Amino acid sequence: MTFLSILCALLLEQMKPLRADNPIYANIKLFAVRMETWFNAGQATHGRMGWFLVMAALMVPTGLIYWVLLRYNLILAAFAWNVLIVYLTLGFRHYSHYFTSIQLALNAGDEAAARALLAEWTKQDTVGLEANEIARVAVEKALITTHRNVFGVFFWFLLPLGPAAAVMYRVSEYLARAWNEPDHMKNEAFGQFAAKAFYWIDWVPARLTAVAFAVVGNFEDAIYAWRNFAHRWRDEAIGIILAAGGGAMGVRLGTPQENAAKVVPADAATVDISDVEVETLPGDEPTVRALQSTVGLVWRALLLWMLLLLLMSGAMALG
């Protein structure tokens, strides 16, 4: 049921992509804002309480409905519920139109349009970025978005909690951003637990995504970049994914001159600048062609996940 649920959800999303601004997501965001308003009294314990309440309010009904359907042997209904939840938690095509439009604009030589699209997608300042920089930031954003909207969901959906775990992953990722990244929430104690919780929730999925990129790409360079350069990012999970993804494609991502994406290396105080100048990431500077390479890498990684899932499902059926 797990393999078929994911396959059907992927096919459904290809035919009818769920808009990123759909009413379900909007209501969850509104709920998160209200919880922050009600509970934020300036202490980390309040953020922990708010986080658990949000999770309980969304996970318990999701898991309870699935359990009841299975309890009464409503297999087709349980399957349909799984497909619905995976469809709602996946985001394979939520932002693909940005990536495709940026690629078309760069191929046409329209850097202004590409910068505008990138700024709208990343919510960052892209003024002055050259074509190669636009390509680099777009590749970085695509790899991180794909991991958090697809592969991370896959991992948690495969666990015993099933649809409830998929909801937990996506909501925890959103809370980690919503309660820490906005200007009024930066340096607030309220969002500390949300960030720490997502770090541990994403610990295994981030590494599995990096392994998948390595297997379907240049394995040696991906592992080398992962082992030697991932620690230079302030966010460990992002460093692992971009180091491995860049190595797999033979391009350098996350340069010290990062000025448009959230992906930034560690502070200079923690890195020997002389070493950075001598030992650089393997690969070439990203070009417009790197955008097409990213599409191929993501699809190959997706097929790898699906193949492994099919083999696991077959083994369980035979067992």
Side-chain angles (χ1 to χ4, degrees):
M1 183 185 293
T2 300
F3 173 78
L4 290 177
S5 297
I6 292 177
L7 180 61
C8 289
L10 285 171
L11 293 175
L12 181 61
E13 194 188 31
Q14 291 299 311
M15 295 184 293
K16 184 67 175 179
L18 187 67
R19 292 176 55 89
D21 58 352
N22 65 84
I24 296 176
Y25 284 13
N27 285 322
I28 292 175
K29 292 177 181 179
L30 179 61
F31 182 41
V33 170
R34 288 180 176 175
M35 292 299 289
E36 187 270 324
T37 302
W38 293 339
F39 284 89
N40 189 1
Q43 296 184 21
T45 54
H46 300 142
R48 185 184 302 112
M49 185 183 303
W51 189 91
F52 278 110
L53 286 174
V54 171
M55 288 300 166
L58 296 174
M59 288 180 63
V60 171
T62 303
L64 185 60
I65 291 173
Y66 183 61
W67 179 82
V68 169
L69 294 175
L70 289 180
R71 177 69 175 78
Y72 290 96
N73 293 319
L74 301 174
I75 304 301
L76 289 179
F79 171 73
W81 180 249
N82 270 352
V83 172
L84 175 63
I85 296 301
V86 175
Y87 174 70
L88 292 175
T89 52
L90 278 180
F92 196 54
R93 295 194 61 190
H94 284 184
Y95 305 98
S96 61
H97 61 285
Y98 282 117
F99 189 83
T100 302
S101 298
I102 290 171
Q103 184 177 6
L104 292 174
L106 289 177
N107 286 332
D110 191 352
E111 294 184 13
R115 278 192 292 269
L117 288 164
L118 186 63
E120 184 179 351
W121 185 18
T122 64
K123 305 296 189 265
Q124 301 297 314
D125 181 15
T126 61
V127 175
L129 290 184
E130 300 295 334
N132 287 357
E133 294 173 308
I134 296 171
R136 174 178 59 79
V137 176
V139 168
E140 293 168 1
K141 182 69 173 177
L143 292 180
I144 296 301
T145 300
T146 300
H147 163 67
R148 292 179 173 175
N149 289 15
V150 181
F151 300 137
V153 175
F154 280 8
F155 172 80
W156 281 101
F157 182 70
L158 296 176
L159 296 186
L161 288 177
V167 170
M168 178 196 68
Y169 179 82
R170 284 303 307 277
V171 175
S172 66
E173 187 274 331
Y174 173 72
L175 293 181
R177 289 185 291 109
W179 290 355
N180 286 281
E181 292 184 3
D183 292 337
H184 72 283
M185 294 298 294
K186 289 180 179 178
N187 302 318
E188 281 267 355
F190 184 80
Q192 291 177 0
F193 180 80
K196 186 179 297 184
F198 181 67
Y199 169 82
W200 289 112
I201 290 171
D202 197 39
W203 198 92
V204 173
R207 285 153 179 80
L208 290 179
T209 296
V211 170
F213 287 159
V215 170
V216 301
N218 186 323
F219 186 84
E220 291 185 1
D221 282 354
I223 298 301
Y224 173 79
W226 177 355
R227 293 181 58 186
N228 294 280
F229 297 94
H231 65 278
R232 294 183 180 175
W233 276 268
R234 187 171 291 129
D235 187 311
E236 181 184 44
I238 288 178
I240 289 171
I241 293 168
L242 292 189
M249 293 187 292
V251 297
R252 292 195 292 269
L253 302 177
T255 64
Q257 292 76 31
E258 181 65 61
N259 59 2
K262 285 286 184 183
V263 184
V264 294
D267 293 333
T270 63
V271 178
D272 188 338
I273 300 301
S274 61
D275 289 341
V276 175
E277 294 175 349
V278 173
E279 185 183 17
T280 59
L281 280 161
D284 303 319
E285 288 295 324
T287 62
V288 178
R289 293 185 61 183
L291 297 173
Q292 185 60 41
S293 298
T294 302
V295 174
L297 181 73
V298 168
W299 274 104
R300 291 195 302 273
L302 177 63
L303 291 176
L304 176 64
W305 273 82
M306 296 300 292
L307 176 61
L308 293 175
L309 181 56
L310 178 60
L311 292 175
M312 290 172 56
S313 300
M316 292 177 64
L318 293 175

